[in-house]
Amino acid sequence: MRPDNKEYAKMVKKLSPPSPKIKDFIWAFFTTALPAIGNELLWAVGDAGYTAIYGRIGTEQLAAMTLTFPIQGLTVGFFSGLSAAAGIIIGSFLGGEKTERAYTASWDFFKLCIIGCVAMGVMIIVGSGLYVGFYNVSEEVRLLAKHLLVIFAFFLWVKVSNMVMLGGVLRSGGETKYILYLDVLGTWGIGIPLGILGAFVFKFDIKIIYILISIEEIVRLTLGLVRVKSRKWMKTLA
């Protein structure tokens, strides 16, 4: 026999899961989303700072660096899908409380990243001469751009690993604050200062400056891998 409407409504309300409060959503947004938004903003400003440093070195050096931007953008954009896949897959494991699978998958993505970057790096080095030949610039700019592409290919696995391990793996566990701290340390604590010192104090060649700036990628990756290995990031956001 079905209970009356009031009793039935009370029973349904009791069995139904509690709806999330708006303040819980706002708190989750501020603690998780805002650091990620700030991270992207600071990254864009820092990238503009690097361009400003290159621009103050000289016209030919800036032209050579500008020639590498399309290759850098295409390559990093190509591997951004790997970062997104890492975040989705590992996030699903964490949501299903499959922490061991999430941990194992994070290192599988790291290995896949290195293999793909080595293959892509070899292609960039081999094709760098053909690529710069398409541009109507001086031979000095072509040669400098070719050298910069070789340096980029060497550091490619580090750059992409940061995308995958920080932007994909750690972010899937809500580690947006930690990622923000790493990016602030890398860009504003290491990359920009080394770029300024190399360009304006020691007057290094742009190739050396590019290597100095890329050191921050190595520091961020090292600290990121330490965080992944600690397993402290493996938590659900719900």
Side-chain angles (χ1 to χ4, degrees):
M1 181 176 179
R2 178 173 174 173
D4 59 43
N5 292 337
K6 290 184 178 180
E7 292 181 354
Y8 184 72
K10 290 181 180 179
M11 183 178 65
V12 171
K13 184 177 181 180
K14 185 177 180 180
L15 294 177
S16 300
S19 59
K21 298 179 180 179
I22 186 65
K23 65 177 183 180
D24 294 334
F25 171 77
I26 294 175
W27 175 252
F29 174 81
F30 276 101
T31 57
T32 305
L34 280 187
I37 295 173
N39 181 36
E40 296 299 326
L41 178 62
L42 289 174
W43 175 84
V45 176
D47 197 52
Y50 291 142
T51 303
I53 292 173
Y54 297 138
R56 294 298 296 261
I57 298 175
T59 304
E60 292 183 342
Q61 287 80 1
L62 178 60
M65 179 59 70
T66 304
L67 258 62
T68 69
F69 287 163
I71 296 297
Q72 293 191 41
L74 288 171
T75 306
V76 174
F78 176 81
F79 284 106
S80 63
L82 184 62
S83 175
I88 294 170
I89 294 175
I90 295 176
S92 67
F93 288 153
L94 293 176
E97 298 184 355
K98 301 175 182 178
T99 55
E100 194 59 37
R101 290 194 66 184
Y103 183 77
T104 303
S106 65
W107 294 109
D108 290 339
F109 273 106
F110 182 55
K111 296 173 185 176
L112 183 62
C113 171
I114 293 178
I115 294 173
C117 288
V118 169
M120 183 67 73
V122 171
M123 292 173 58
I124 292 175
I125 293 173
V126 172
S128 60
L130 179 63
Y131 168 75
V132 298
F134 287 118
Y135 290 90
N136 185 22
V137 293
S138 66
E139 188 61 31
E140 181 179 355
V141 172
R142 285 198 187 97
L143 184 60
L144 190 55
K146 183 178 179 180
H147 290 166
L148 290 173
L149 283 174
V150 172
I151 297 172
F152 168 74
F154 179 79
F155 283 101
L156 178 62
W157 74 273
V158 184
K159 294 177 181 291
V160 175
S161 294
N162 276 325
M163 288 173 49
V164 174
M165 303 306 285
L166 302 185
V169 175
L170 292 184
R171 189 169 287 178
S172 68
E175 292 282 271
T176 52
K177 287 184 180 179
Y178 188 80
I179 297 171
L180 175 62
Y181 298 152
L182 283 186
D183 283 349
V184 170
L185 171 65
T187 302
W188 299 99
I190 300 174
I192 295 292
L194 286 180
I196 293 174
L197 286 174
F200 307 127
V201 177
F202 298 105
K203 308 292 184 181
F204 287 145
D205 181 84
I206 191 173
K207 296 186 291 251
I208 303 300
I209 296 172
Y210 188 40
I211 293 174
L212 288 175
I213 289 176
S214 298
I215 290 176
E216 63 98 358
E217 298 274 4
I218 299 176
V219 174
R220 287 197 297 123
L221 179 60
T222 302
L223 296 177
L225 292 178
V226 169
R227 188 69 173 184
V228 172
K229 192 173 183 179
S230 72
R231 297 174 180 251
K232 294 180 180 179
W233 56 276
M234 294 193 300
K235 51 184 178 290
T236 60
L237 303 180

